[in-house]
Amino acid sequence: KNNKILDKLKEISTDLLQNAGKVILIQCLKIYYIIVDSNVPLQEKMSAMACILYVISPVDVVSDFLPAGYVDDAAMITFTLNFLKKYDTKDIQDKAESKYNEWFKK
């Protein structure tokens, strides 16, 4: 009985982690496509670039090696996309999802 509970917990947590990773990666891809969009002003592109650099940087406010290490990265991504929401178009979303699917064949 305990094994069934643990197995179910593992299944749920695996799905949660995979889905959370997918969402964060698609958000990062959206930021990338905002950066390369010729219609986005330079100042907004610089804000987006700062976010991407923060996310890929090994130096964080909260170390990625800690259990909650990616919380600051997720917050930065969310804040940046909210700041740039007028550039987060259907085309940007489609490009991000297409690239994700290309990478992971889903």
Side-chain angles (χ1 to χ4, degrees), residues 35-46:
I35 292 168
V36 299
D37 187 328
S38 62
N39 297 317
V40 176
L42 181 59
Q43 184 174 352
E44 279 81 354
K45 288 181 182 205
M46 297 301 283

Side-chain angles (χ1 to χ4, degrees), residues 17-85:
L17 290 173
Q18 288 174 345
N19 289 329
K22 176 182 178 181
V23 168
I24 290 172
L25 180 54
I26 288 175
Q27 289 178 328
C28 286
L29 288 166
K30 286 168 48 173
I31 292 170
Y32 167 79
Y33 285 114
I34 288 170
I35 292 168
V36 299
D37 187 328
S38 62
N39 297 317
V40 176
L42 181 59
Q43 184 174 352
E44 279 81 354
K45 288 181 182 205
M46 297 301 283
S47 297
M49 182 61 79
C51 175
I52 294 297
L53 290 173
Y54 181 84
V55 169
I56 64 174
S57 171
V59 179
D60 282 348
V61 171
V62 179
S63 174
D64 293 339
F65 298 109
L66 297 174
Y70 291 102
V71 171
D72 60 324
D73 295 327
M76 179 66 79
I77 292 164
T78 301
F79 174 80
T80 300
L81 279 176
N82 190 46
F83 176 70
L84 300 169
K85 64 184 166 192

Side-chain angles (χ1 to χ4, degrees), residues 26 30 88-98:
I26 288 175
K30 286 168 48 173
D88 187 5
T89 63
K90 173 87 168 93
D91 182 53
I92 295 288
Q93 177 72 32
D94 290 346
K95 286 178 182 179
E97 288 182 8
S98 177

